[in-house]
Amino acid sequence: MTALASAPMRGHAAMLVFSALVAGSFSLGGLMANEISPAALTTARFGLAALIMGALALVFTGVPRAAFAAPWRYLVLGGMFAIYFVLMFEGLKTAPPVSTAAVFTLMPIMTAGFGWLLLRQVTTGWIALALAVGASGALWVIFRGELALALAFEVGRGEAIYFIGCIFHAAFVPLLRLLNRGEQSLAYTFLFMLGGFLLLLVWAWGDIRATDWGALPQVVWVALAYLAVFASAASFFLLQYGARVLPSAKVMAYSYLTPSWVILWEIALGHGLPPLWIAAGVGLTVIALLMLLRE
């Protein structure tokens, strides 16, 4: 009984750590966004992540020959995931990490829309209300708490670029399920990461060759290692565990903690507190989290 009761608690702990690791991508990405081409960085990140996931797949589950059926699936999934990350780092060139994290909290409501379009997944009224509350908090931060900017729909260039990336990520989530043909999670993740790496290698070859890899500042290598190990491999395991022991709505809820974690990351990195008006928007995203956890 104790073990059964503790499984959901372990799931919540896993998702809490997962959300903190994801938030680190925004703060560290903001530090080095202007030091390297987003396409070159994402190519290196996908290559390292594919190596890690491939090694884990070979050790724990193997990669059966049947998994290579319809390889176009991995190019589609990897390409969409790659576009998301390239646009994320492009957006971080001009947008503050907290603002991009707020845009990220729009992901659940967009994912719910694509889930209905692609899988006919129906969202309950309570979850829809929670998503609306979270989206309101995100929009408050994006428009900097100014009604005039919202009415004029004046969005920062970085936030707008990242929002386009989030659309690809939102469609990517239900496509993961739609295109899966029974492959194990590790093998499936390795193959679509490999697909994204191969596409990036072709598309970003000019940026890769133009990058003076030996002259890159240390922060780029630190961020790259973090993205490949913690924001890819470690977060993948945590997400997989959370999804096994928690309802999907509760798993999805933890994305609303991202702006709060980013604020803590920014303080830890010595960037100080964000403007006070951000607190209202972040507060709404936390309320959305509590609503989804209750659901």
Side-chain angles (χ1 to χ4, degrees):
M1 180 67 71
T2 303
L4 289 175
S6 63
M9 294 302 296
R10 290 197 299 269
H12 285 296
M15 293 311 302
L16 195 64
V17 176
F18 166 81
S19 63
L21 293 179
V22 169
S25 302
F26 293 92
S27 292
L28 290 176
L31 287 176
M32 39 65 74
N34 291 297
E35 303 290 344
I36 182 176
S37 154
L41 172 69
T42 305
T43 304
R45 183 259 179 93
F46 268 59
L48 286 173
L51 282 174
I52 294 170
M53 299 310 300
L56 292 173
L58 289 174
V59 170
F60 292 104
T61 62
V63 184
R65 184 176 300 178
F68 291 92
W72 61 267
R73 296 176 296 152
Y74 306 119
L75 294 176
V76 170
L77 292 169
M80 295 183 73
F81 210 37
I83 290 171
Y84 164 74
F85 281 109
V86 169
L87 294 180
M88 172 186 176
F89 293 118
E90 188 66 38
L92 280 167
K93 286 183 176 181
T94 56
V98 177
S99 293
T100 49
V103 177
F104 180 76
T105 62
L106 292 172
M107 195 89 72
I109 197 166
M110 291 192 288
T111 302
F114 280 111
W116 181 83
L117 284 173
L118 297 173
L119 301 173
R120 288 296 183 264
Q121 292 179 336
V122 178
T123 301
T124 66
W126 179 260
I127 291 178
L129 177 60
L131 294 177
V133 171
S136 299
L139 292 173
W140 176 272
V141 176
I142 292 167
F143 290 113
R144 302 187 288 280
E146 296 184 25
L147 182 60
L149 291 180
L151 293 176
F153 205 73
E154 293 185 15
V155 183
R157 180 178 182 273
E159 288 90 343
I161 290 172
Y162 181 53
F163 176 75
I164 295 172
C166 286
I167 294 174
F168 282 90
H169 193 301
F172 164 83
V173 174
L175 277 175
L176 270 177
R177 179 171 178 176
L178 184 66
L179 298 181
N180 187 282
R181 298 184 178 182
E183 291 87 2
Q184 293 286 338
S185 296
L186 282 172
Y188 193 50
T189 304
F190 160 62
L191 289 171
F192 81 68
M193 292 295 288
L194 180 62
F197 171 69
L198 294 175
L199 286 175
L200 282 164
L201 202 59
V202 174
W203 180 69
W205 184 245
D207 285 354
I208 296 170
R209 290 190 61 187
T211 300
D212 187 354
W213 295 93
L216 290 174
Q218 186 178 13
V219 66
V220 175
W221 295 108
V222 171
L224 181 58
Y226 180 90
L227 292 169
V229 177
F230 296 103
S232 294
S235 63
F236 165 77
F237 277 115
L238 293 168
L239 181 61
Q240 292 294 311
Y241 180 79
R244 287 200 304 270
V245 299
L246 295 175
S248 58
K250 298 185 186 243
V251 172
M252 181 175 62
Y254 279 91
S255 64
Y256 286 121
L257 274 184
T258 305
S260 301
W261 279 121
V262 169
I263 289 173
L264 294 178
W265 270 94
E266 290 294 289
I267 294 171
L269 291 171
H271 298 163
L273 287 168
L276 187 59
W277 53 262
I278 284 182
V282 172
L284 285 173
T285 61
V286 173
I287 291 173
L289 165 71
L290 297 175
M291 291 175 68
L292 287 172
L293 289 180
R294 183 182 178 192
E295 167 68 15

